Amino acid sequence: MTDVSADHVLSRLSARLREARQRQGLSLDAVAKLSGVSRSMVSQIERGESSPTVATLWNLTRALQVDFAGLLDPQEASGIEVVTAAQAPRIAGHGKGCRITILSPPEQAGRFEVYDIRFEAGGELDSDPHGAGTQEHLTVIEGAVEVRSGGENRDLMTGDTARYRADVPHWIGAIDEPARVFLIVETT
């Protein structure tokens, strides 16, 4: 096994992000707008002057449509890719009383996304419409949730699955107790 220094990893990461941005002909400003990461932070990361958080890297890989794991690992992917629970990126600041873990690869963002969402009692996730034709497929793993899409709403119990339009305002909320759902967002 090769011992790789943190400086070497940061240098490799910086170069790969810069290459991905340049390959797509994007400016620092464009990447900042697409990722929600400030222009100065993107520049610092590309110059190897800042170590990005996992959440920042996730946002950048989604914006650049590059493989999150491939940024750090130069080897070809094996037949089985494993993302440990500790490595799975989380989305902060969305919803109330919920924790969202991203399970899908970043290169699928905008086409096919998979999430594990854990709600506290009374937790909720209120979403604006996604792109035209987008649907969500939600399965309740634990507890009970209410789902609203457009003008309709349904209560779901453990094991139930709902498929609904996500190109209209939609909402998911835990009913009376903590809940956990598996959510697939599919854009056609």
Side-chain angles (χ1 to χ4, degrees):
M1 180 187 289
T2 306
D3 185 23
V4 179
S5 73
D7 289 338
H8 179 71
V9 170
L10 182 58
S11 173
R12 189 170 60 206
L13 170 69
S14 299
R16 289 189 178 163
L17 284 172
R18 185 175 46 256
E19 289 165 9
R21 178 180 63 80
Q22 292 172 343
R23 189 171 44 250
Q24 293 186 34
L26 296 173
S27 67
L28 289 172
D29 287 326
V31 171
K33 287 177 186 171
L34 289 169
S35 67
V37 176
S38 73
R39 183 194 186 284
S40 61
M41 178 57 75
V42 174
S43 179
Q44 289 173 12
I45 292 167
E46 284 192 3
R47 291 191 315 264
E49 296 173 0
S50 179
S51 296
T53 65
V54 171
T56 298
L57 272 180
W58 180 258
N59 289 337
L60 289 170
T61 58
R62 288 182 68 162
L64 295 168
Q65 298 180 343
V66 296
D67 179 44
F68 185 84
L71 286 176
L72 300 174
D73 186 5
Q75 302 168 352
E76 275 190 43
S78 69
I80 299 176
E81 177 185 0
V82 175
V83 178
T84 66
Q87 293 171 322
R90 292 191 170 80
I91 298 175
H94 290 286
K96 178 186 120 199
C98 64
R99 187 176 79 209
I100 305 169
T101 303
I102 303 167
L103 303 176
S104 52
E107 62 271 14
Q108 292 296 323
R111 293 185 304 249
F112 188 82
E113 302 168 21
V114 182
Y115 301 97
D116 176 3
I117 307 174
R118 296 172 190 245
F119 293 95
E120 297 172 2
E124 59 184 41
L125 180 61
D126 194 4
S127 299
D128 290 327
H130 301 301
T134 302
Q135 287 198 4
E136 291 186 355
H137 310 267
L138 179 141
T139 299
V140 181
I141 305 300
E142 297 172 358
V145 298
E146 178 184 352
V147 174
R148 299 178 192 157
S149 174
E152 296 185 56
N153 66 307
R154 297 283 188 274
D155 290 346
L156 305 171
M157 308 305 283
T158 300
D160 292 346
T161 297
R163 296 177 183 87
Y164 51 91
R165 289 181 56 190
D167 57 359
V168 296
H170 52 289
W171 178 93
I172 307 164
I175 301 174
D176 301 327
E177 62 184 5
R180 181 178 182 190
V181 302
F182 183 77
L183 179 69
I184 298 172
V185 180
E186 179 183 27
T187 302
T188 55

